[in-house]
Amino acid sequence: MERNIGLYYAVFDDTAGPKVVYQHPKESLPGKIFDTISDYIIARQELCGSLLTVRTNRKKFVSYPMCVMDKRYKRNQFIFAFGMVINEEKQTGPYQQ
């Protein structure tokens, strides 16, 4: 049984806005879905450092947005996220020993 459908890396581009830089396999996070949920993939600063999950199209999109504050960036910050795409019917939860 397949649990993970895909992985992705997304950034907030100063010109283009939120965009997927890398995903494997291709189209594991389709553009139409990304446009709909990008506020939760590339989250605002208050949500950076939090694990976020969005359910849509029978899939879970799990994202961990990060924000690096530094004056060398155009907006004084670099926002990016790593995430996974998981089948919705698969049970997920925190790891416990």
Side-chain angles (χ1 to χ4, degrees):
M1 286 191 193
E2 184 181 17
R3 177 175 286 225
N4 291 337
I5 295 174
L7 301 170
Y8 60 86
Y9 168 66
V11 299
F12 184 86
D13 182 273
D14 293 325
T15 305
K19 71 178 200 174
V20 177
V21 175
Y22 179 81
Q23 57 184 313
H24 182 78
K26 287 188 183 270
E27 293 301 312
S28 56
L29 179 53
K32 198 173 234 185
I33 292 175
F34 179 72
D35 291 343
T36 303
I37 64 172
S38 64
D39 286 344
Y40 302 100
I41 303 296
I42 301 295
R44 61 185 184 273
Q45 191 175 357
E46 299 83 36
L47 296 174
C48 285
S50 301
L51 191 62
L52 307 175
T53 302
V54 176
R55 292 176 185 220
T56 186
N57 290 39
R58 300 178 52 105
K59 297 176 184 166
K60 294 179 191 176
F61 296 88
V62 181
S63 178
Y64 193 77
M66 296 296 297
C67 183
V68 177
M69 305 298 288
D70 196 305
K71 291 180 182 179
R72 67 179 159 175
Y73 300 115
K74 276 190 178 180
R75 296 180 182 213
N76 294 325
Q77 61 184 355
F78 174 59
I79 301 175
F80 64 97
F82 291 100
M84 299 181 296
V85 183
I86 303 169
N87 286 323
E88 184 179 52
E89 62 271 357
K90 298 297 180 187
Q91 184 176 356
T92 57
Y95 175 77
Q96 296 178 354
Q97 284 186 304

